[in-house]
Amino acid sequence: MTVNEELNPFVIAQTQLDTAAEIMQLEPALHELLRWPIRELHVTLPVKMDDGSTEIFHGFRVQYNDARGPTKGGLRFHPHETIDTVRALAAWMTWKTSVMDIPLGGGKGGIICNPKVMSPGELERLSRAYIRQVGRILGEDMDVPAPDVYTTPQIMAWMMDEYAFMRGHNVPGVITGKPLPLGGSAGRGDATARGGMYCIREAAQQLGIKTEGATMAIQGFGNAGQYAAVLGPALLGVKIVAASDSKGGIYNPQGLDPDALIAHKADTGSVVNFAGTDAITNEELLELDVNILVPAALENQITADNATNIKAKISAELANGPTTLEADQILHENGVYILPDFLCNAGGVTVSYFEQVQNAYGYYWKEAQVHELLNEKMTAAFQSVAQTAKEYQVNNRVAAYIVAVGRVAEACKLRGWV
Ligand code: GLU
């Protein structure tokens, strides 16, 4: 990273907003309102560990903006979580629900912890402790968490259960990404990756690129990365040639079998040492000569240091905030077509919204229906961003901001906030 490169995700999110606000000539009070979370809660959580000791954890829930509806967004368990990361992610959720035109605001939560060294019992007690503190500001019409980095449907189930105890009755719609038997939605599991593939399909069509046989490298092999490896070939006919996780990466220019790779990761805990592939680093993966790059890990992966070496034609951001401000500029100048995070990875929250609708009705849809509605939503959102990019002569990220911020700004005004 260059010495002065901005790596604070919240400053990055605010700067991205500033760029759009200037083009949109957003009035100063409205611009200032949208630069900050409406409210946030910091919690301290004592948790009994398996060895009988008590450990103290710290967590956050940020409700960024609820002008368009209840705040919505995932919950991360990560050792490097910070309040500014959560603020940035909450801001991006606000733009994400807006660009998708679903009636929700944006929020995000996080707990500073390392789930990889915690037992299931410790994780359950931590999850319940979080809800005992944060539950007071959650609700199906207030703020609705969901899975994110290192949080799972099982964690959502414990949280929903704890919330039900607090309220004295079942409230399935208070959290999404639940297991199916507890009111989860069909199609929620692969929704983030599926939405991203629909987006790539639209982008390729616009660029006149054939996806059949195109090569794809995936950085990050969690929920989004694993499903992208399966759905890329299934929906677009692409060939997966490389993947990585926090322990390292693997590469085979001839292509690799995604299902076997997922099984290998389940067995060994990593993609590393997958048969028939060469070992590469996460950094090398980003710079591979591939057609489509899918950053599906964490923020600040594509920086001023490596952006010039990126050879992909399309960067489809399944992660939140993978590209720094400087890198964004470089990629744009080099003609890399970016599918910006809060558009490209919006499939997850879109199916979360479908899950809430089904919970409210107490009636559940078939998976094919979810896919069809998701396809419709993603295609419409992509088209509105592409259209705006053309109209304003700006890149896709700025265009996505113009669409999303415009809708949130309108809601704030209609409510009489500014
Ligand atoms: N954590 C996911 C995201 O960043 C999903 C959020 C949700 O489903 O509410 O979009």
Side-chain angles (χ1 to χ4, degrees):
M1 270 147 256
T2 56
V3 186
N4 293 320
E5 189 165 20
E6 181 58 66
L7 295 177
N8 179 329
F10 187 44
V11 177
I12 292 177
Q14 286 182 316
T15 309
Q16 290 168 340
L17 169 70
D18 295 346
T19 304
E22 198 179 318
I23 296 168
M24 300 166 76
Q25 298 184 320
L26 214 60
E27 57 198 89
L30 196 45
H31 178 191
E32 184 62 12
L33 175 65
L34 298 182
R35 295 186 89 238
W36 300 98
I38 291 265
R39 64 186 86 82
E40 56 188 45
L41 185 62
H42 296 225
V43 294
T44 303
L45 310 169
V47 176
K48 295 266 185 308
M49 307 305 278
D50 290 347
D51 66 3
S53 67
T54 299
E55 207 167 305
I56 309 301
F57 293 89
H58 299 279
F60 318 101
R61 184 73 191 172
V62 174
Q63 299 177 340
Y64 197 85
N65 188 290
D66 54 7
R68 285 174 45 86
T71 48
K72 181 84 192 83
L75 176 59
R76 303 212 302 189
F77 284 5
H78 200 273
H80 301 137
E81 198 62 277
T82 67
I83 182 62
D84 273 351
T85 311
V86 181
R87 284 175 179 142
L89 291 161
W92 289 325
M93 283 309 305
T94 306
W95 314 136
K96 195 179 300 188
T97 54
S98 180
V99 84
M100 295 308 297
D101 206 8
I102 54 184
L104 296 169
K108 202 81 175 195
I111 301 179
I112 306 168
C113 68
N114 184 359
K116 290 185 179 170
V117 301
M118 295 173 70
S119 72
E122 289 169 342
L123 281 174
E124 177 176 351
R125 292 190 289 280
L126 177 63
S127 302
R128 290 184 185 276
Y130 181 80
I131 293 301
R132 284 199 296 276
Q133 287 306 321
V134 176
R136 66 197 72 200
I137 61 163
L138 301 181
E140 51 194 346
D141 50 9
M142 285 168 69
D143 183 13
V144 182
D148 201 274
V149 172
Y150 297 145
T151 50
T152 58
Q154 176 61 72
I155 290 174
M156 299 305 114
W158 290 324
M159 290 186 166
M160 178 194 101
D161 184 64
E162 191 64 28
Y163 188 82
F165 276 114
M166 286 173 79
R167 289 282 172 267
H169 58 92
N170 235 349
V171 190
V174 71
I175 201 155
T176 60
K178 300 180 291 294
L180 282 178
L182 296 183
S185 174
R188 176 63 183 85
D190 70 15
T192 305
R194 182 176 292 273
M197 297 308 121
Y198 293 152
C199 242
I200 294 172
R201 179 197 64 205
E202 294 300 306
Q205 217 162 51
Q206 176 165 313
L207 296 168
I209 295 175
K210 266 183 53 184
T211 57
E212 191 69 40
T215 50
M216 178 181 278
I218 302 172
Q219 190 209 31
F221 217 58
N223 171 284
Q226 291 189 25
Y227 279 119
V230 174
L231 293 177
L235 299 177
L236 305 173
V238 303
K239 189 164 76 172
I240 308 298
V241 295
S244 68
D245 58 32
S246 59
K247 302 201 174 75
I250 47 124
Y251 177 50
N252 179 349
Q254 305 310 316
L256 46 85
D257 176 354
D259 291 315
L261 180 60
I262 290 168
H264 173 80
K265 169 131 182 161
D267 279 352
T268 66
S270 172
V271 297
V272 171
N273 290 327
F274 181 55
T277 60
D278 295 330
I280 53 168
T281 63
N282 263 291
E283 293 72 34
E284 285 165 343
L285 179 137
L286 295 173
E287 299 177 11
L288 286 175
D289 191 3
V290 293
N291 304 117
I292 303 168
L293 176 64
V294 180
L298 291 169
E299 50 286 345
N300 293 338
Q301 300 299 302
I302 303 176
T303 67
D305 272 356
N306 57 21
T308 38
N309 299 329
I310 286 181
K311 300 169 192 74
K313 266 268 140 285
I314 296 176
S315 176
E317 299 181 342
L318 283 187
N320 288 308
T323 310
T324 65
L325 296 167
E326 284 182 52
D328 210 24
Q329 199 57 39
I330 296 168
L331 293 185
H332 184 54
E333 280 161 17
N334 289 350
V336 179
Y337 188 93
I338 297 179
L339 286 166
D341 50 6
F342 69 77
L343 169 68
C344 189
N345 70 29
V349 74
T350 302
V351 177
S352 275
Y353 164 60
F354 297 159
E355 183 173 330
Q356 284 185 280
V357 172
Q358 294 168 80
N359 292 154
Y361 270 85
Y363 179 78
Y364 290 83
W365 308 345
K366 293 201 169 63
E367 191 168 31
Q369 261 169 297
V370 172
H371 291 170
E372 195 185 314
L373 286 171
L374 176 62
N375 191 5
E376 236 170 66
K377 275 286 189 199
M378 289 304 305
T379 307
F382 174 89
Q383 294 303 342
S384 65
V385 170
Q387 182 60 35
T388 304
K390 226 187 263 164
E391 201 178 305
Y392 284 80
Q393 290 296 304
V394 292
N395 66 42
N396 286 337
R397 195 180 317 276
V398 177
Y401 266 93
I402 292 173
V403 173
V405 171
R407 290 180 184 150
V408 177
E410 187 188 15
C412 291
K413 277 195 207 164
L414 285 168
R415 282 176 181 270
W417 289 356
V418 281

